[in-house]
Amino acid sequence: MKHALDFLSEQDVIFKMIIEKYGIPKIPKRPEGFETLVLLILEQQVSIDSAKATFLKLKAREKNFQPQALLNLLDEEFRNLGVSRQKTSYIKALSTAILNNEIDLASLGAKTAQQVREELIKIKGIGNWTVDIYLMVCLQEPDLLPLGDIAVLNTIKELLQIESKEEIEIYTLRWSPCRSVATFLLWHYYLEKRGRKITFL
């Protein structure tokens, strides 16, 4: 971690500024597996706090939080817990893929980031953002910058005055091989500047 912070501070003044102003971020770590992927589906395009509240309701409703159990829940029950129709279909697609042995989540930790992406992306409702976050916070992939994340993208635009996504992709190559820590620093800045505190599940 210290090596990555030192490297990024040398590569770009914005990281030195973030650390001096807001300190060092806590690096989120989540367990690998089904539960975290369900949580990430719920987190798509909503706040972490909102998704967490829905996830905890779902866990309270279904103590046996396994693919078959969630597949057996009626769509209406999901809706009553605050899960949209679209996200219900995504959770059920993930559950079905696991039960049909189309994916083995336990094996992903032994695979490359690209192999993990290729396997997960086949499942309806799991896109690059979800894969990026899973790789970063579950599998501890060190060199990912999720440009599908609005907070990351907006913070880069704000701090570097670069608008084009293509230019951002080229510019941020200088942060490699520590782009995941760069992401955590950008999130840290985004939240601290807005006075927001979040607790990762």
Side-chain angles (χ1 to χ4, degrees), residues 100-119:
N100 288 346
N101 296 316
E102 292 165 19
I103 189 165
D104 175 15
L105 297 183
S107 72
L108 296 182
K111 297 182 176 177
T112 66
Q114 186 56 35
Q115 287 171 327
V116 171
R117 187 177 306 281
E118 287 169 2
E119 289 204 32

Side-chain angles (χ1 to χ4, degrees), residues 14-15 37-38 59 67 72 76 101 103 108 118-119 132-133 152 162 176 179 184 189-190 197 200:
I14 66 167
F15 296 116
L37 277 170
V38 170
K59 281 203 76 171
N72 290 343
E76 185 181 354
N101 296 316
I103 189 165
L108 296 182
E118 287 169 2
E119 289 204 32
D132 285 345
I133 307 305
V152 168
I162 304 174
S176 183
R179 284 177 292 182
F184 298 136
Y189 172 89
Y190 182 88
K197 298 289 180 188
F200 287 95

Side-chain angles (χ1 to χ4, degrees), residues 73-88:
L73 277 183
L74 298 174
D75 288 5
E76 185 181 354
E77 292 180 272
F78 275 101
R79 190 163 59 252
N80 291 339
L81 295 167
V83 183
S84 71
R85 182 181 301 173
Q86 189 175 48
K87 289 185 179 179
T88 296

